[in-house]
Amino acid sequence: VPPKGQLGIIVAPAPVVPIPKGLPGFSLIAEVMLDKFLYYLPYYRQHQKYLHLGIDLPKTTIEGWFKPVAEMLKPLYEVLQTAVLTETDYLQSDGTTIPVVNKEKHKALKEYIWTLRAPLLKLICYTYPNEGSRSGKTGKELLGNFKGYLQTDDYSVYESICKEALACHVGCWAHSR
């Protein structure tokens, strides 16, 4: 019922949704992201799963949810990365190659994702700085302020980072041979 003296219909505010103007709720978004990143289920297989359940949820729609969800989670990621880099004096790091499709060149390029692990805090942060670069500049931007023990493989960038940051570079058993 409208307030006294006013005509019309009062509409309740729309519920909060994870993707602006989107239809999926928080639980569906959580399921899609868990399927993708915890159970390694590609989007096309998730599409097949939903078809089997009688729901035609296109692969492109599911893929389109990734970026807004990543933006929504960015503040949490930044807190995690800060904690990993500042709340411990023992850090493990490694760069791992990943194929990234370059649409202009129509081929997959070898790029790097950096793993930062704070084992004493039981925290792991994966980062993809400077579009997959493993350059010394990228390493210095990422790890240049770290103080403590940095355990890595024998990639020369880590040694130079440790010298400049006054961190102690520690090798690993796997690379001692």
Side-chain angles (χ1 to χ4, degrees):
V1 176
K4 189 175 181 180
Q6 292 184 5
L7 299 174
I9 299 172
I10 296 176
V11 178
V16 176
V17 292
I19 298 174
K21 299 180 184 176
L23 295 176
F26 289 99
S27 60
L28 178 58
I29 291 292
E31 181 176 344
V32 166
M33 294 303 141
L34 283 172
D35 279 350
K36 172 73 174 159
F37 298 104
L38 185 62
Y39 302 114
Y40 310 105
L41 196 61
Y43 294 131
Y44 80 91
R45 299 238 332 263
Q46 291 187 48
H47 167 71
Q48 291 171 342
K49 176 181 97 171
Y50 287 110
L51 278 177
H52 179 75
L53 296 171
I55 302 166
D56 188 6
L57 188 56
K59 177 178 99 70
T60 54
T61 300
I62 298 171
E63 287 173 347
W65 294 341
F66 174 77
K67 188 172 182 179
V69 169
E71 289 298 321
M72 182 174 52
L73 295 173
K74 189 173 182 181
L76 291 175
Y77 169 79
E78 290 169 351
V79 168
L80 172 65
Q81 185 176 21
T82 299
V84 166
L85 289 169
T86 62
E87 295 181 15
T88 185
D89 63 353
Y90 172 48
L91 184 65
Q92 297 171 331
S93 180
D94 191 24
T96 303
T97 60
I98 55 170
V100 176
V101 175
N102 182 307
K103 291 183 180 177
E104 290 82 40
K105 295 181 179 179
H106 302 287
K107 65 178 184 176
L109 303 175
K110 181 171 82 170
E111 297 185 3
Y112 290 86
I113 188 166
W114 293 64
T115 303
L116 305 173
R117 180 173 181 249
L120 301 177
L121 301 174
K122 295 183 171 70
L123 295 177
I124 299 176
C125 179
Y126 299 97
T127 186
Y128 182 69
N130 300 329
E131 297 167 356
S133 171
R134 195 177 187 213
S135 71
K137 179 184 173 198
T138 299
K140 288 173 188 168
E141 288 173 7
L142 185 62
L143 296 163
N145 295 323
F146 177 73
K147 304 284 187 237
Y149 297 92
L150 180 61
Q151 185 175 24
T152 70
D153 60 18
D154 200 29
Y155 181 45
S156 61
V157 165
Y158 295 121
E159 190 64 40
S160 64
I161 291 169
C162 288
K163 284 180 184 172
E164 290 181 27
L166 301 176
C168 180
H169 188 216
V170 180
C172 67
W173 283 111
H175 292 87
S176 63
R177 52 181 153 64

